[in-house]
Amino acid sequence: MNSKEIVKLLLNVETEIPLSDKIEDPSIIGPTWKLNIVFSENLDMDTVSDGIKLYKVKSNGKEIEEDIIVGSDENSSSVLYISKSDNTNFTEGEEYKLHIKGGVKSVSGTSLKEEFTNYFAVDYSFNLDSKGILDLNNQRTLILCISDLHLGANDSYAEINRNREALVKFLDQVRTSPNVKELVIAGDLIDEWFIPMNLDTFNGKTQRDFVKAVAVNNKPVMDAFNRIIKEGIIKVTYVPGNHDLLINSEDIQSIMPGIFEARDVKGLGAYTPGDFPEIVVEHGHRYNFYCAPDFSNRSITQTDSILPPGYIFTRMATSSVIQGRPKRDDPLPVVNKNELGEVQYLYFLYWNVWKGLITDLPVKEGLDEKVINTNIDGFTGFYSISDVLPYQNLDNGYIDVKLHKGVIEGWEERQTNNLVPVKIPTSEAVLKGALASHLDDQSSVQYFNNPNSDKRIVIFGHSHEARVITSFNEKQEKNVYINSGTWIDKNECTMTFAVIIPPKSEDSAPAYAGLYQYSQSGDIKKLGSEVLTNLK
């Protein structure tokens, strides 16, 4: 007998939607009213009616059978379609389980090798229209997160000057949407950093005057924010970023009266909605060596100064951009690695990072010219670029620095003061602090893989690089990290923002976390979304 004649063929099945056999990680599909299923052979329809089931899966894992219609293609009984009995779309925001039992057979009697199970979720038709998202039934559940707006006092160097109209339009749509519950500003709303290095930050006035000048220069934006705050329907929350880490509560309230603020240590804050403990929103600079509040200059300023090294660099970088990144011919001082211990090696790494930064963003001024005029946070003098660069003693090879003296040795204490849950090694912090990927990694280090954390959704800003990253913790629970990004095309005024749709209860649809793009015309494009189950 031919061996091929005794091989038992098996019935295969495919669907038009992505497959997932994990209840905790369903595939995500767009809104639809039917699903097509293709089998490898024509089916015995008598085995189909009780062999294909569809269930809604609630956020607590409970399964509820759906009343469905299973029909076949008029030209082939190997192609089936599934629809709800009322022929309406599958409910947006719900997770479903498609189950095909082993009893389903072909006309020749062929069976499936094993029962087929596929988990999928139907994404929301997200919009900010006044009519709202249909399947949310006018309920206010959306939490929107924006960051890195960088409102400045002077349009000759401010970063937002081309984007105000788009931002105002976005905020007005947020205000009239029937589904938005909260709007979170995740840092860098006011920009005290992106200012040419030769300018007195406050132009001889006070920080409060500066903040009010920013509000005046961005009046349409401030008016749009304040309309939302004043109405009191949508909660608006401000979280400090590094570019506004010195802006205190009184400053913010002077231009946005009634806004809620999430603060912990000076210059830092993290926000968790009261009814959704598994989400946290913060700017992300807490974990950045160059941008986290730093105490190393207090012996110089004789104040409670917290400006980190990234502040001086940003002032230099702003000048470089305005100057058109001028070419420099004068070489930087030479700093060589020495054999004087680990701290000295870390200062050598610190020097190399600075070398790369000022090489990429050079300025026309000489290294020793006293051209850095900040008059902020206790820095009342004039400083040179050399004052911030590590330098080497020619006699003994010792590497030292004038501004931020002790910044290496103080990193551990600095993290403690800044409430960093899981300490970042100094060498890693120095070398990777300028990388967006290092900030992304901290979502897992500080939250998802931290046994003392209950967070399942983390939203950062800071890096200006919008993205969605999923992972699983030791319990095999799905986690989602989103960077809310900012203006991704300044010329076309296209911004990104994060959206969270929490579950209403344990017996409701799962939580959604998504990243969207908003254009000048008001069009909204999905960049990515994820579903999280087993959230309370």
Side-chain angles (χ1 to χ4, degrees):
M1 179 182 292
N2 191 319
S3 61
K4 292 184 178 180
E5 296 178 2
I6 62 173
V7 175
K8 185 176 182 181
L9 297 178
L10 297 174
L11 187 63
N12 295 320
V13 60
E14 294 181 356
T15 67
E16 64 179 358
I17 63 175
L19 298 179
S20 173
D21 59 358
K22 297 179 179 179
I23 188 174
E24 71 276 6
D25 190 23
S27 60
I28 301 176
I29 68 171
T32 184
W33 68 275
K34 72 172 184 176
L35 299 175
N36 290 330
I37 307 174
V38 180
F39 291 84
S40 56
E41 297 182 32
N42 288 334
L43 296 178
D44 178 354
M45 298 303 294
D46 291 337
T47 67
V48 168
S49 59
D50 194 49
I52 299 179
K53 302 290 184 181
L54 188 70
Y55 304 86
K56 275 187 180 178
V57 182
K58 296 303 180 180
S59 61
N60 59 3
K62 181 180 178 181
E63 297 179 358
I64 301 174
E65 186 173 352
E66 284 276 89
D67 188 10
I68 61 173
I69 297 173
V70 180
S72 62
D73 187 281
E74 60 182 11
N75 297 316
S76 173
S77 61
S78 66
V79 180
L80 302 183
Y81 71 86
I82 297 174
S83 63
K84 294 172 65 173
S85 58
D86 57 5
N87 285 322
T88 59
N89 279 1
F90 293 108
T91 307
E92 294 180 11
E94 293 283 359
E95 180 178 355
Y96 289 90
K97 171 186 174 181
L98 172 63
H99 184 67
I100 304 176
K101 297 180 180 180
V104 173
K105 298 180 182 296
S106 70
V107 291
S108 65
T110 305
S111 302
L112 295 169
K113 179 180 181 181
E114 57 186 15
E115 295 189 345
F116 175 88
T117 300
N118 184 31
Y119 294 94
F120 65 94
V122 183
D123 207 354
Y124 287 98
S125 301
F126 179 81
N127 67 75
L128 289 175
D129 298 340
S130 58
K131 294 182 180 179
I133 300 171
L134 181 63
D135 283 340
L136 288 181
N137 299 316
N138 288 322
Q139 292 182 325
R140 291 192 176 274
T141 61
L142 302 182
I143 302 172
L144 271 57
C145 300
I146 57 177
S147 68
D148 299 277
L149 300 181
H150 293 277
L151 304 182
N154 189 316
D155 283 355
S156 65
Y157 49 79
E159 290 191 277
I160 194 178
N161 51 4
R162 295 190 181 191
N163 307 318
R164 290 192 190 94
E165 185 178 346
L167 179 55
V168 169
K169 187 172 185 177
F170 170 79
L171 292 173
D172 284 344
Q173 286 188 273
V174 169
R175 182 177 63 86
T176 58
S177 167
N179 302 129
V180 178
K181 178 182 180 181
E182 300 189 31
L183 174 63
V184 184
I185 307 167
D188 285 2
L189 172 66
I190 307 295
D191 198 332
E192 283 189 328
W193 286 28
F194 204 80
I195 300 171
M197 64 183 180
N198 63 305
L199 296 186
D200 180 323
T201 307
F202 305 141
N203 195 26
K205 298 181 180 180
T206 66
Q207 179 167 275
R208 183 69 51 80
D209 293 325
F210 175 85
V211 170
K212 290 185 176 180
V214 170
V216 170
N217 193 47
N218 298 274
K219 187 177 185 302
V221 175
M222 281 297 148
D223 288 347
F225 273 122
N226 284 321
R227 281 192 291 269
I228 300 173
I229 296 168
K230 186 176 181 179
E231 285 184 357
I233 298 172
I234 298 171
K235 181 179 180 180
V236 184
T237 299
Y238 162 79
V239 181
N242 56 301
H243 282 236
D244 47 15
L245 85 174
L246 294 180
I247 306 296
N248 59 40
S249 179
E250 291 76 16
D251 293 329
I252 289 294
Q253 294 298 326
S254 73
I255 60 171
M256 305 174 80
I259 191 172
F260 182 79
E261 300 177 55
R263 298 176 180 270
D264 39 58
V265 176
K266 183 180 178 181
L268 294 168
Y271 176 63
T272 294
D275 56 353
F276 195 9
E278 291 154 312
I279 181 176
V280 63
V281 183
E282 60 176 315
H283 187 64
H285 63 299
R286 190 191 307 266
Y287 313 110
N288 187 284
F289 182 87
Y290 299 94
C291 296
D294 173 45
F295 316 95
S296 62
N297 282 319
R298 290 184 174 181
S299 62
I300 297 174
T301 65
Q302 298 300 306
T303 68
D304 59 349
S305 171
I306 61 170
L307 280 175
Y311 168 76
I312 300 292
F313 165 70
T314 303
R315 296 294 298 263
M316 293 164 53
T318 309
S319 292
S320 179
V321 171
I322 291 175
Q323 295 171 10
R325 297 189 180 187
K327 183 179 180 181
R328 292 182 58 93
D329 295 323
D330 54 325
L332 294 173
V334 176
V335 175
N336 295 311
K337 179 181 174 183
N338 61 35
E339 301 298 328
L340 299 176
E342 181 182 4
V343 170
Q344 281 288 286
Y345 174 65
L346 293 173
Y347 270 109
F348 175 70
L349 298 181
Y350 182 56
W351 153 255
N352 277 280
V353 172
W354 267 106
K355 179 182 177 181
L357 292 173
I358 63 177
T359 299
D360 291 341
L361 289 162
V363 293
K364 64 183 181 182
E365 290 81 1
L367 298 180
D368 296 321
E369 292 184 54
K370 298 292 184 179
V371 292
I372 303 175
N373 172 28
T374 65
N375 199 24
I376 185 174
D377 201 29
F379 290 90
T380 57
F382 286 74
Y383 305 94
S384 69
I385 296 173
S386 293
D387 288 334
V388 74
L389 295 181
Y391 64 91
Q392 190 159 36
N393 188 304
L394 298 179
D395 294 330
N396 57 17
Y398 188 83
I399 303 172
D400 208 344
V401 68
K402 295 177 183 178
L403 290 179
H404 302 286
K405 187 177 180 66
V407 68
I408 296 294
E409 301 93 315
W411 175 239
E412 285 290 323
E413 181 182 3
R414 187 173 159 201
Q415 292 186 88
T416 298
N417 292 338
N418 288 337
L419 305 181
V420 175
V422 181
K423 299 293 175 41
I424 305 166
T426 309
S427 59
E428 176 185 327
V430 172
L431 280 176
K432 297 183 178 181
L435 302 177
S437 60
H438 186 253
L439 174 62
D440 300 337
D441 292 342
Q442 295 311 305
S443 62
S444 293
V445 173
Q446 306 298 332
Y447 291 107
F448 301 145
N449 296 333
N450 179 356
N452 297 317
S453 169
D454 62 352
K455 306 307 178 190
R456 300 274 302 282
I457 300 176
V458 172
I459 300 178
F460 291 158
H462 186 61
S463 70
H464 293 207
E465 296 188 16
R467 63 194 61 180
V468 179
I469 299 175
T470 61
S471 61
F472 290 86
N473 60 25
E474 292 182 352
K475 300 177 183 178
Q476 287 305 298
E477 296 171 325
K478 187 177 182 179
N479 308 303
V480 175
Y481 161 70
I482 299 180
N483 192 294
S484 54
T486 184
W487 304 101
I488 60 176
D489 189 330
K490 294 183 180 180
N491 292 326
E492 296 185 8
C493 303
T494 304
M495 65 173 286
T496 55
F497 62 99
V499 177
I500 308 299
I501 306 179
K504 294 182 286 293
S505 68
E506 290 187 3
D507 196 30
S508 68
Y512 272 71
L515 181 67
Y516 293 84
Q517 176 180 313
Y518 184 88
S519 70
Q520 177 80 36
S521 63
D523 293 333
I524 295 175
K525 175 184 177 182
K526 184 180 73 172
L527 300 180
S529 63
E530 293 290 343
V531 174
L532 285 91
T533 57
N534 299 101
L535 290 182
K536 297 180 180 180

